[in-house]
Amino acid sequence: MANKLIKQMGLPNSIANIFTARNIITAKDALSLTEFELMEQLDVGMAEVKSAMAHISEVVCPPCQTALLLMEQRVRDERSAGHLPTRLRGLDEALCGGLPFGVVTELVGPAGIGKTQFCLKLSLLASLPANCGGLDGRVIYIDVESKFSSRRLIQIGIENFPEIFLKKGMAQEMAGRIVILRPTSLSEFTESLHHVQVSLLQKQVKLLIIDSMAALVLGEHDCGASRQQVLGWHVSFIKSLAEFSRIPIVVTNQVRSQTGDEPLTFSFQARSHSIKKEDRASYDSHLVAALGINWAHAVTIRLVLEARSGLVLLDDDGIEMKGSEINTIHCQGQKALFNSEW
């Protein structure tokens, strides 16, 4: 706003023309001078200078807001933004309707756990017609690791939404709404984000997926300090995209090994508290989310996908089944999401 032209601020032509004649073109030019300096350069009275400066300041300065007003605005935004249902009953209930709009949701888990499969399913849900429970919009899918499979996408669509995908031309229409970007370097990824920003303004984009953020950053920056510096800009930009567009942004993240000597960072590491200090040397490393604490703070919702020894079955309410109940699979959880054998 400091570079806003004075002639565009609605000042009377008489005083605006004087500013221009004295080469005081922008708000920054005017506000950099004292009232006495302006009075001397413009050759006008103090009353005219004060009136002009008050008007310029009002135009370029944001209005004052209290913490209460900011909180009320955030609540209104969250209520009006909505959610993208995942069609997993227990998860949607826990998230009060699904993945919320206007924030960053992260999927964390080791390779092969199903992060990309989940992203493919979300892409279909966002592109489905509104009368079928979808968002009836476009999806931008930034496929960093070239894991996106159009064949698998269509397969998921036919298996989960046969009433739509078996209609003539519907599979092509749904797939045509998903735009794939495949940056091969961090600089290309940064450029892709700028293109995304433009697309959010021009097209009906209802979901942004980045799969995965960690792949490029960890591959190009081994040093922790430089990595965090690079992440700083991307964290701010991605968060601003979510808040500006009011759409859900889903980012997948890898995991790394953490030894018992490292400090605990995330709540799901709490199990290591029970390990005695003298036993930590013999304690095997365990997996934690990559990218560090700064990235973790940028994420509003973190969904951790873990593989345990044996199968863990969830009922329709997302609660782990115990005892004899585990002998019968009668919930739609993993099967409906991934449509593959485990």
Side-chain angles (χ1 to χ4, degrees), residues 52-275:
M53 293 300 289
H55 181 82
I56 292 172
S57 298
E58 183 179 357
V59 170
V60 300
C61 294
C64 296
Q65 299 187 76
T66 64
L68 177 61
L69 288 175
L70 291 174
M71 182 179 68
E72 291 174 345
Q73 179 62 48
R74 184 176 183 87
V75 171
R76 286 195 297 269
D77 290 342
E78 291 175 349
R79 288 177 178 172
S80 63
H83 296 78
L84 170 60
T86 66
R87 303 291 183 96
L88 297 175
R89 180 180 170 186
L91 180 59
D92 285 340
E93 288 181 355
L95 297 176
C96 300
L99 304 184
F101 292 6
V103 301
V104 178
T105 298
E106 182 188 43
L107 303 178
V108 179
I113 198 70
K115 301 186 296 296
T116 297
Q117 300 295 312
F118 196 4
C119 290
L120 292 176
K121 182 75 172 290
L122 293 174
S123 298
L124 287 176
L125 292 172
S127 61
L128 284 176
N131 59 5
C132 298
L135 301 182
D136 197 21
R138 295 180 178 274
V139 177
I140 297 179
Y141 196 116
I142 301 181
D143 183 24
V144 176
E145 299 181 273
S146 297
K147 291 184 177 180
F148 184 93
S149 169
S150 56
R151 184 187 299 272
R152 180 63 179 139
L153 180 78
I154 298 300
Q155 181 184 2
I156 293 175
I158 293 175
E159 292 174 347
N160 288 271
F161 313 106
E163 70 282 4
I164 299 175
F165 275 77
L166 293 180
K167 292 181 180 179
K168 184 177 180 180
M170 287 301 293
Q172 290 82 351
E173 181 179 343
M174 294 296 100
R177 295 182 178 183
I178 303 173
V179 178
I180 313 299
L181 302 177
R182 280 181 170 160
T184 59
S185 65
L186 192 58
S187 59
E188 287 187 13
F189 175 73
T190 303
E191 185 177 353
S192 296
L193 289 180
H194 287 295
H195 289 311
V196 167
Q197 186 179 36
V198 176
S199 296
L200 293 179
L201 292 171
Q202 298 176 344
K203 302 177 181 179
Q204 287 291 101
V205 177
K206 296 298 179 68
L207 174 66
L208 170 62
I209 293 177
I210 303 174
D211 184 19
S212 78
M213 183 66 195
L216 286 174
V217 178
L218 297 179
E220 294 191 15
H221 293 269
D222 295 329
C223 176
S226 62
R227 181 188 305 160
Q228 292 305 312
Q229 184 177 7
V230 169
L231 270 176
W233 182 89
H234 291 87
V235 165
S236 299
F237 196 89
I238 293 171
K239 281 179 63 70
S240 67
L241 283 179
E243 295 172 358
F244 163 76
S245 63
R246 308 306 302 174
I247 66 171
I249 293 182
V250 177
V251 181
T252 66
N253 190 7
Q254 300 174 356
V255 294
R256 66 177 182 86
S257 296
Q258 176 171 329
T259 64
D261 294 331
E262 294 185 68
L264 297 178
T265 304
F266 308 111
S267 59
F268 60 85
Q269 297 172 238
R271 59 182 178 274
S272 61
H273 276 303
S274 60
I275 302 169

Side-chain angles (χ1 to χ4, degrees), residues 224-338:
S226 62
R227 181 188 305 160
Q228 292 305 312
Q229 184 177 7
V230 169
L231 270 176
W233 182 89
H234 291 87
V235 165
S236 299
F237 196 89
I238 293 171
K239 281 179 63 70
S240 67
L241 283 179
E243 295 172 358
F244 163 76
S245 63
R246 308 306 302 174
I247 66 171
I249 293 182
V250 177
V251 181
T252 66
N253 190 7
Q254 300 174 356
V255 294
R256 66 177 182 86
S257 296
Q258 176 171 329
T259 64
D261 294 331
E262 294 185 68
L264 297 178
T265 304
F266 308 111
S267 59
F268 60 85
Q269 297 172 238
R271 59 182 178 274
S272 61
H273 276 303
S274 60
I275 302 169
K276 296 180 180 180
K277 184 175 181 181
E278 57 269 20
D279 295 333
R280 286 192 179 268
S282 60
Y283 177 60
D284 293 336
S285 64
H286 55 280
L287 300 178
V288 297
L291 298 181
I293 191 64
N294 290 338
W295 173 259
H297 286 164
V299 173
T300 303
I301 296 175
R302 165 169 279 172
L303 302 179
V304 181
L305 284 67
E306 286 187 328
R308 303 186 186 181
S309 57
L311 292 177
V312 178
L313 304 181
L314 306 180
D315 63 17
D316 288 339
D317 294 321
I319 300 174
E320 183 177 348
M321 295 191 298
K322 303 289 186 179
S324 59
E325 288 183 313
I326 67 173
N327 294 322
T328 304
I329 300 178
H330 56 77
C331 62
Q332 65 170 354
Q334 291 177 341
K335 184 177 180 181
L337 177 59
F338 304 121

